[in-house]
Amino acid sequence: MSEYEALTVPARFNGPTSSGNGGWTAGAIASRLAPGPARVMLRVPPPLDVELDVVAGDLAGSVEARRGDTVVGIAAPAEAPAPVEPVAADVAREAERRYSGLTSHPFPMCFACGTGRAQGDGLRIFPGRVDDDGEGRVRVAATWTPDASLADPESPDVTTLPVAWAALDCIGGWAGDLEERLMVLGSMTAEVSELPRVGEEYVVVGGSRGDDGRKTFTASSLYTADGRLLASAEHVWFAVDPKDFL
């Protein structure tokens, strides 16, 4: 008998059509740890509407989400990620008009960044480019207002932790090279110091951090509209064969 509550990724929280959004899933696994920054490694595409057992992992203080003998994800305490520099709300709002996903999107039904999701259903975080430091480090930004349907049942003024992780997820991919090659989230390290409040506008900022072979490294941060930092994340993405996901 596991000492941790089992985990299911509802179909609403998909990334690719047939698997879970990486950020939401990672946040859900991390929620089984004590509060604080955590790193989650995703081993396989998270299945939808399937109960996963959550058990103590081999690493000290870690937990694993499993489907039978298959490890879906591993979460462990981590160092807090460095934030991405903030962007003013009006600049982020204007950047949304340049969102590449409006013209070509690999996963249009993605919970976090999909253009095919209805208002209030998906997060509809549509990041556009803000600047480039000339050395390949790109920064993108978007605004986001959490819908009431994303509220924590126990604290209805705020979202759940998995939703906060989801908001920090895909914006990293769009700051990286998602426009040029298909990628999925391999690992995500995040610290959420304060959950976003339902109905308030926020600014989400993403930054590229280089690449190495199949790997792309990015970061993201979530700010209030007046520039107060709520959460930050770092990501490792892996290029994949489109036929495995499309």
Side-chain angles (χ1 to χ4, degrees):
M1 186 76 172
S2 172
E3 62 184 292
Y4 300 97
E5 183 183 356
L7 164 65
T8 298
V9 182
R12 178 185 182 186
F13 304 123
N14 69 289
T17 304
S18 60
S19 58
N21 172 265
W24 193 96
T25 305
I29 301 173
S31 71
R32 272 53 176 176
L33 300 174
R39 180 173 186 243
V40 179
M41 294 169 285
L42 297 175
R43 297 300 198 194
V44 298
L48 298 171
D49 288 333
V50 173
E51 185 173 283
L52 305 177
D53 294 319
V54 181
V55 300
D58 294 333
L59 301 174
S62 70
V63 298
E64 296 180 356
R66 290 176 166 269
R67 182 182 188 184
D69 294 332
T70 301
V71 177
V72 175
I74 303 170
E79 295 293 323
V84 182
E85 286 295 310
V87 168
D90 59 342
V91 174
R93 206 173 296 113
E94 196 275 334
E96 293 169 11
R97 298 165 53 191
R98 299 188 292 275
Y99 177 43
S100 299
L102 294 173
T103 55
S104 178
H105 200 303
F107 304 124
M109 296 306 292
C110 173
F111 171 67
C113 68
T115 53
R117 301 297 287 262
Q119 193 75 38
D121 178 27
L123 302 187
R124 293 177 59 86
I125 295 175
F126 297 162
R129 182 173 295 202
V130 173
D131 52 32
D132 184 333
D133 68 1
E135 298 181 0
R137 292 169 71 95
V138 172
R139 192 168 52 151
V140 299
T143 59
W144 172 51
T145 301
D147 185 74
S149 66
L150 302 172
D152 186 332
E154 297 182 2
S155 301
D157 290 338
V158 299
T159 72
T160 62
L161 184 68
V163 166
W165 277 60
L168 292 165
D169 174 17
C170 297
I171 191 165
W174 292 104
D177 50 8
L178 185 57
E179 294 179 49
E180 300 173 8
R181 61 177 179 174
L182 190 66
M183 304 184 300
V184 294
L185 187 66
S187 70
M188 182 172 173
T189 303
E191 179 181 38
V192 179
S193 59
E194 184 179 330
L195 290 169
R197 298 183 68 82
V198 169
E200 292 191 11
E201 184 181 56
Y202 295 92
V203 176
V204 194
V205 187
S208 59
R209 296 291 184 264
D211 56 70
D212 180 14
R214 289 181 57 225
K215 297 181 181 179
T216 295
F217 306 96
T218 64
S220 61
S221 290
L222 176 67
Y223 292 91
T224 62
D226 59 3
R228 183 167 58 85
L229 179 66
L230 267 62
S232 288
E234 294 174 344
H235 323 84
V236 180
W237 304 83
F238 287 90
V240 296
D241 189 331
K243 69 179 177 58
D244 293 333
F245 287 88
L246 301 179

